[in-house]
Amino acid sequence: AEGVPVIDCLFEVRGGEARVADTTNLLPGGGFEQAERNHPAGWSWSDDFGRVSVLDTEIKHSGLSSLRLGDFSGPNARVMRTVEVKPFHQYELTFWSKTQNLQADELRVTILAGQRSLNHTDLEWQPTHDWKKHVIVFNSLEHEKVNVYLGAWGARSGRFWIDDAELRCVGGVHLLRREGCPVRITSED
């Protein structure tokens, strides 16, 4: 199996258990609680904010509102944020989605570093489904910044909602244990 290295990920040991030291949510604003002029607060942009993408206080997974995408004026309905990451670290993106009569080519997440996609996960969705949690794991490779896109490509009709998006550093996932894939644990001393 191919493996992707996780290098110098800091863990803290407490009570005999090692956990990733920094679990900061790198997507503040992932609850879609507030708006700025042209996009949800905490995000870099969204397609046609105020018409295609709006904060919805009626339908939400939690909190005060969610991001609703509908009334499509173009082929895509997305929200995007540029995030600083540490090279060769593993990250987990989680969010909730809900759909209503959605007709689109794809409902997906794209993590881009330049022109390179760092994830290859297809989201399972139906034209109409209740709130559903999605989990996407990716490695930052040599990159220090990534663009996180959530949304629909080829959107034609219907609506969908996104809420409670979080991005956190996690330890190695699907750890490979064989010659050529060493696991090294070091301490401050």
Side-chain angles (χ1 to χ4, degrees):
E2 291 290 330
V4 181
V6 173
I7 300 172
D8 295 333
C9 184
L10 182 63
F11 285 76
E12 288 181 341
V13 178
R14 288 195 180 132
E17 215 174 87
R19 295 188 182 260
V20 173
D22 186 359
T23 59
T24 302
N25 179 11
L26 300 175
L27 288 178
F32 301 101
E33 302 297 323
Q34 298 179 330
E36 293 180 6
R37 183 177 172 170
N38 296 317
H39 51 81
W43 293 83
S44 303
W45 61 262
S46 64
D47 287 314
D48 201 359
F49 188 67
R51 190 170 101 80
V52 171
S53 57
V54 297
L55 297 188
D56 188 334
T57 58
E58 298 295 317
I59 298 175
K60 58 209 177 252
H61 181 257
S62 72
L64 302 173
S65 58
S66 67
L67 182 68
R68 182 186 74 223
L69 295 113
D71 300 322
F72 307 114
S73 60
N76 300 326
R78 305 157 301 172
V79 62
M80 190 280 288
R81 179 184 172 115
T82 301
V83 178
E84 291 186 15
V85 294
K86 294 179 183 174
F88 293 104
H89 277 59
Q90 201 81 13
Y91 291 90
E92 180 180 83
L93 171 67
T94 60
F95 70 99
W96 292 80
S97 76
K98 175 184 173 77
T99 60
Q100 180 181 50
N101 301 319
L102 181 64
Q103 297 299 311
D105 295 338
E106 296 180 86
L107 182 62
R108 74 176 187 212
V109 172
T110 300
I111 311 293
L112 290 179
Q115 295 299 311
R116 184 176 189 179
S117 179
L118 300 180
N119 72 306
H120 304 283
T121 306
D122 292 326
L123 299 180
E124 294 181 15
W125 63 281
Q126 301 296 320
T128 299
H129 68 73
D130 203 359
W131 288 107
K132 178 178 187 174
K133 185 176 183 179
H134 303 278
V135 179
I136 291 85
V137 177
F138 69 95
N139 189 293
S140 57
L141 302 176
E142 69 274 5
H143 306 286
E144 294 179 356
K145 286 186 180 180
V146 297
N147 292 327
V148 176
Y149 291 82
L150 304 174
W153 278 253
R156 294 176 293 283
S157 63
R159 291 180 169 179
F160 71 99
W161 292 261
I162 301 171
D163 206 357
D164 298 327
E166 296 184 350
L167 177 64
R168 299 180 191 278
C169 184
V170 295
V173 177
H174 306 297
L175 190 63
L176 300 179
R177 303 287 305 261
R178 66 167 195 244
E179 189 177 323
C181 295
V183 175
R184 285 187 292 233
I185 300 172
T186 60
S187 64
E188 291 179 13
D189 61 1

